[in-house]
Amino acid sequence: MASARFPAVSAAGARTLPIMLVAAAVCPCPPLLVPEVASGAAPELDAARAACTDALGVLSAARPDLLVVVGPAEQSGRGVHAEGARGSFRAFGVDLGVRLGRAGRGRGPEVADRELPPSLAVAAWLLEHAGGIDAPVEGLGVGDPLDPVLCLDAGREVAGRAGRVALLVMGDGSACRTVKAPGYLDERAEPFDAEVARALGTADVAALKALDTGLAHELKAAGRAPWQVLAGAAEGASLTGELLYEDAPYGVGYVVAAWT
């Protein structure tokens, strides 16, 4: 059901509008997706960038009333980020700034004061690179420790924010696929990523709900909480999924999928 802040009523207040998740795109969130950050290594992620562009095209075609971007965040970046919020890649050695959604539509002084976490900054870059989405855009940063029940509740609340909601869900799989990976080699990483890719590629909401939180944390899978927000938002939506990309460059599992 809709939240009290965002009741699903018509302009005349005569009837309740249908509330649903109409589409979702799942993308990885390494800053290396931004060519200026990757520099000489940029071609290694060309296929991932192309898949992300295709997934965002699915969102645009769904004609949402609201696009919510969900991604992992450290403490300072958790919570809602209004449209117009800014981010940058200066922490990664590149003087490049981005804005979430369209300029001039931000609401409130917090837009200027609160910087996007890296995952949402990558999402903002992807949206700009793909030509944007013709709908209001908001961000939601979620922390790795967030309990699955709270992730699901957050997803349900997001799905009730408008009559037609779309999600752009940012998150990486395990960071333990090779000895040079950020988390070193862990033999559990590949089967974990394979199950995540299967669940995301088939829109298996039940499987996403059942992801092992402890294992995901041990494998440094930053996408676990955002994926479970997606699971909560997609309850009852009967969406179908398509896996557009799956690989583990740099020893980190990256998946791109589209749900419609």
Side-chain angles (χ1 to χ4, degrees):
M1 80 186 272
S3 69
R5 289 177 56 209
F6 299 92
V9 296
S10 66
R15 63 184 178 87
T16 300
L17 295 174
I19 297 171
M20 66 178 71
L21 181 71
V22 295
V26 179
C27 295
C29 57
L32 289 173
L33 275 178
V34 179
E36 291 88 341
V37 176
S39 188
E44 295 181 39
L45 290 179
D46 279 349
R49 292 186 196 96
C52 290
T53 298
D54 290 343
L56 293 181
V58 169
L59 297 185
S60 183
R63 301 175 64 86
D65 299 323
L66 173 68
L67 173 64
V68 179
V69 184
V70 184
E74 298 298 327
Q75 187 67 46
S76 63
R78 294 175 193 171
V80 175
H81 294 263
E83 183 163 29
R86 295 180 180 275
S88 80
F89 297 97
R90 284 187 290 273
F92 304 96
V94 176
D95 188 16
L96 174 66
V98 291
R99 182 194 295 269
L100 186 65
R102 294 183 178 179
R105 287 206 305 205
R107 296 181 295 282
E110 74 277 6
V111 170
D113 298 338
R114 192 156 177 260
E115 186 166 299
L116 295 171
S119 67
L120 299 190
V122 172
W125 181 87
L126 286 173
L127 286 167
E128 181 177 336
H129 180 69
I133 301 291
D134 188 20
V137 182
E138 295 181 359
L140 176 64
V142 294
D144 174 71
L146 191 63
D147 185 87
V149 172
L150 297 179
C151 291
L152 297 174
D153 285 345
R156 295 177 189 118
E157 194 279 334
V158 164
R161 296 287 296 274
R164 295 176 59 83
V165 176
L167 289 186
L168 171 54
V169 182
M170 310 297 293
D172 300 340
S174 75
C176 303
R177 293 283 292 272
T178 68
V179 294
K180 293 185 178 180
Y184 196 67
L185 177 64
D186 190 313
E187 62 183 12
R188 301 171 297 173
E190 188 168 352
F192 175 88
D193 286 342
E195 171 58 12
V196 166
R198 186 205 64 78
L200 292 173
T202 59
D204 190 337
V205 171
L208 293 177
K209 289 181 179 181
L211 287 176
D212 187 325
T213 304
L215 178 60
H217 179 74
E218 291 174 12
L219 296 177
K220 303 184 184 300
R224 190 277 306 172
W227 298 330
Q228 289 187 321
V229 172
L230 168 60
E235 288 179 343
S238 299
L239 300 181
T240 58
E242 180 181 2
L243 186 64
L244 302 178
Y245 175 88
E246 178 191 5
D247 203 352
Y250 318 116
V252 181
Y254 297 152
V255 172
V256 180
W259 292 19
T260 55

